[in-house]
Amino acid sequence: MSFAAGYDHDASGSDAPDEEIAREILTFRLGSETFGIRVAHVREVLDYKPIARISNAPSMLIGMIDVRGTGVPVVDLKSKLRMRGFDDGEPTGDSRIIVLDFEADGVRRTVAVIADTVHEVTEFAEEDVEPAPEFGETWNSSFMTGLGRRGETFLTLLDLPRLFEAERFEFA
């Protein structure tokens, strides 16, 4: 089984039986941590722009942006991953908005997240990925497909459909 078994092969949600060994991953930084998501889930990467706040919205929902005439919710990925949230720092010239398309809970979703920096699109082969660590404590790592390795550097490979399943991670 490949490291990307938790991911769909393409954005439509079907996985071919002859799954590729390497997957294209968009790498980006949130705070001091590096993450990766399947390119198949990335609609586009935008320069940072103002986000319209929404009254009484769940805490994970920063607001909305217009993407080519369509309103797209912007989710605070830092808070969702239990990191310091979006409001803990101001966007910089390197900040980007990543617009994502994926299926979660049987529903097609389009959401945007803010990255402090977008690095590159790269390929990860199965042998470059390690499972989430086990260290004796209970923690929910189901949102990860594993840890990518580049030399001595690690990045968390996110499983977007699982991360956005309502029953796994509540929008509190």
Side-chain angles (χ1 to χ4, degrees), residues 78-155:
K78 286 181 182 178
S79 288
K80 194 153 187 64
L81 294 170
R82 296 188 177 160
M83 301 172 66
R84 292 180 60 197
F86 169 76
D87 287 331
D88 291 335
E90 289 297 316
T92 68
D94 291 331
S95 297
R96 297 291 180 265
I97 297 175
I98 305 171
V99 182
L100 306 164
D101 284 320
F102 56 93
E103 187 174 306
D105 292 329
V107 176
R108 195 94 198 126
R109 301 189 191 278
T110 299
V111 300
V113 297
I114 298 170
D116 294 325
T117 303
V118 172
H119 295 295
E120 64 182 344
V121 172
T122 188
E123 288 191 355
F124 275 93
E126 189 168 351
E127 62 270 9
D128 295 328
V129 177
E130 297 181 19
E134 293 184 27
F135 56 95
E137 295 286 327
T138 302
W139 69 301
N140 186 348
S141 62
S142 66
F143 65 92
M144 300 170 58
T145 58
L147 295 174
R149 182 185 273 269
R150 288 287 193 230
E152 293 183 13
T153 303
F154 292 93
L155 66 136

Side-chain angles (χ1 to χ4, degrees), residues 45-99:
V45 177
L46 305 171
D47 288 337
Y48 184 85
K49 60 183 177 178
I51 299 167
R53 302 290 178 152
I54 300 173
S55 297
N56 200 31
S59 63
M60 296 285 173
L61 180 61
I62 297 170
M64 300 287 291
I65 58 169
D66 178 78
V67 179
R68 304 183 195 294
T70 302
V72 175
V74 180
V75 174
D76 187 348
L77 188 57
K78 286 181 182 178
S79 288
K80 194 153 187 64
L81 294 170
R82 296 188 177 160
M83 301 172 66
R84 292 180 60 197
F86 169 76
D87 287 331
D88 291 335
E90 289 297 316
T92 68
D94 291 331
S95 297
R96 297 291 180 265
I97 297 175
I98 305 171
V99 182

Side-chain angles (χ1 to χ4, degrees), residues 7-37:
Y7 284 121
D8 297 329
H9 178 67
D10 59 27
S12 68
S14 64
D15 215 357
D18 58 342
E19 193 172 290
E20 318 167 345
I21 298 297
R23 299 289 182 156
E24 285 190 319
I25 303 293
L26 176 71
T27 61
F28 61 96
R29 185 176 51 77
L30 294 176
S32 61
E33 298 180 45
T34 304
F35 295 88
I37 51 178

